[in-house]
Amino acid sequence: MPRRISILGATGSIGQNTLDLVRRNVAAYDVVALTGAGNIAQLAADAIEMRAKIAVTARPDLLEDLRDALKGSDVEAAAGADAVVEAASRPADWIMSAIVGAAGLAPGFAALAQGCTLALANKESLVCAGQLLLETAHTHGATILPVDSEHSAIFQALVGEDITAVERIIITASGGAFRDWPLDKLAQATLDQASSHPNWDMGQRITIDSASMFNKAMEVIETREFFGVDPDQIEVLVHPQSMVHALVGFRDGGLMAHVGPPDMRHAIGYALHHPHRAHLPVERLDLAAIGQLDFSTPDGARWPALRLAREVMGAGGLMGAVFNAAKETALDGFIAGQINFTQMAEVVEDTMTQLDRQPGYIDVSMTLDNVHKVDHLAREAAKAAIDKRAG
Ligand code: NAD
Ligand code: MG
């Protein structure tokens, strides 16, 4: 019987890579829901091609456009944040969570509540509400499989291992667009420069987050939340080739490294076929031709985001939600030209300090409502921090 699947964030980079794999064996899948936001033409074309039951845009103002684009097909159309959540709760066996940002939280929780296998690319869910996410999966008998290259790598290195035998986990970072830039030039980095990644082809937001290391900072927190290790067991190594994605160090001194080309279809395909390994259309590495793989310690002055991740883990509670909301807002500010590249970290740090001083915000219990509340407060504080700099 075909497997029922849905893709949340189908029109994005992860969503399109997922569809690329599905397309190669289309008879094996029954597509329930595809969701997107602004790119209606892509959403409709994919929904029609995949014979999806429903296509949803997160933008209510685009419902008519979506209806027009779906005319003549059997695909149902819907719009708005609630409709995305409703689509996520439609029965499916496997759901890809690939919406970018905190907007991916509610749909991910709705998917878990139906006990499916959730392929989790939306790292924001783990950063903002990791504990709640894992508890929800447990309560509903759902499975979460990581779809971040590093976390898929760690997951694979841990197959058949005892987590208590793990001494440390090392995730690698390419260093992004500005790895070798002079430090005093970073403040002048333009949007265009920050939006091009040396190795990975990804959405614009995560590409800029790679240049600032906010992506890696998020991934450190993601590692702690998903694998339940202590913050001081997690290390980051700069590795410009992006071929060793992560290494797990065991107490006997052995390191299990996961090596592969920088192609997200590996991590997506692993989650799609788990627990089996299917043939995947990714490049086979020729290590002799590559010749050399480099590693170095990240420079704290260049990438303050890594220090902020440690502070988030030290604070615990809802500080992850503060961090993520401030980071998303600072990124918006950079994209809009209100603040410069290095001011993004300043805005995040200001926001964390400000909300940490207000008792009650960070240590309230972790419910989805509280996460949204704190997310809202942090966005307001981050906007004020941006205005202070822009004004
Ligand atoms: P993207 O920007 O290419 O795509 C984002 C998707 O989310 C699109 O389908 C868009 O329509 C949808 N979307 C945007 N705003 C929305 C909203 N408010 N409500 C509902 N849907 C909305 O992003 P991406 O690079 O594919 O990343 C998706 C997620 O996967 C992110 O959490 C990212 O951190 C994570 N991730 C991406 C990569 C990668 O290689 N691209 C690797 C690891 C993890
Ligand atoms: Mg990653």
Side-chain angles (χ1 to χ4, degrees), residues 8-17 35-39 56-59 80-81 84 96-104 107 120-125 147-150 200-207 209 215 218-219 222 263-264 268 327:
L8 313 173
T11 54
S13 163
I14 293 287
Q16 290 292 300
N17 275 311
T35 82
N39 192 346
V56 186
T57 166
R59 289 189 35 193
V84 175
M96 167 56 79
S97 164
I99 290 171
V100 65
L120 186 67
N122 179 266
K123 61 189 82 183
E124 295 86 349
S125 302
V147 180
D148 207 337
S149 54
E150 300 75 5
W200 296 92
D201 181 11
M202 310 183 285
Q204 185 190 36
R205 298 183 73 85
I206 184 174
T207 301
D209 282 351
N215 181 50
M218 299 274 288
E219 291 182 355
E222 193 185 355
D263 184 335
M264 282 310 292
I268 296 167
K327 192 266 316 175

Side-chain angles (χ1 to χ4, degrees), residues 3 5 17-29 93-96 117-119 143 145-147 152 155-156 264-282:
R3 230 167 142 214
I5 65 167
N17 275 311
T18 307
L19 281 171
D20 176 77
L21 295 180
V22 168
R23 203 170 266 127
R24 290 163 196 265
N25 190 10
V26 81
Y29 305 101
D93 304 304
W94 187 91
I95 299 182
M96 167 56 79
T117 295
L118 187 73
T143 304
L145 296 172
V147 180
S152 175
F155 188 89
Q156 294 180 47
M264 282 310 292
R265 291 177 304 175
H266 172 77
I268 296 167
Y270 184 83
L272 183 60
H273 299 289
H274 183 267
H276 308 291
R277 281 194 188 264
H279 179 274
L280 293 175
V282 303

Side-chain angles (χ1 to χ4, degrees), residues 92-93 109 111-118 133-144:
D93 304 304
F109 275 95
L112 287 176
Q114 55 151 307
C116 68
T117 295
L118 187 73
L133 198 78
L134 298 191
E135 278 169 17
T136 305
H138 184 75
T139 305
H140 297 281
T143 304
I144 304 177

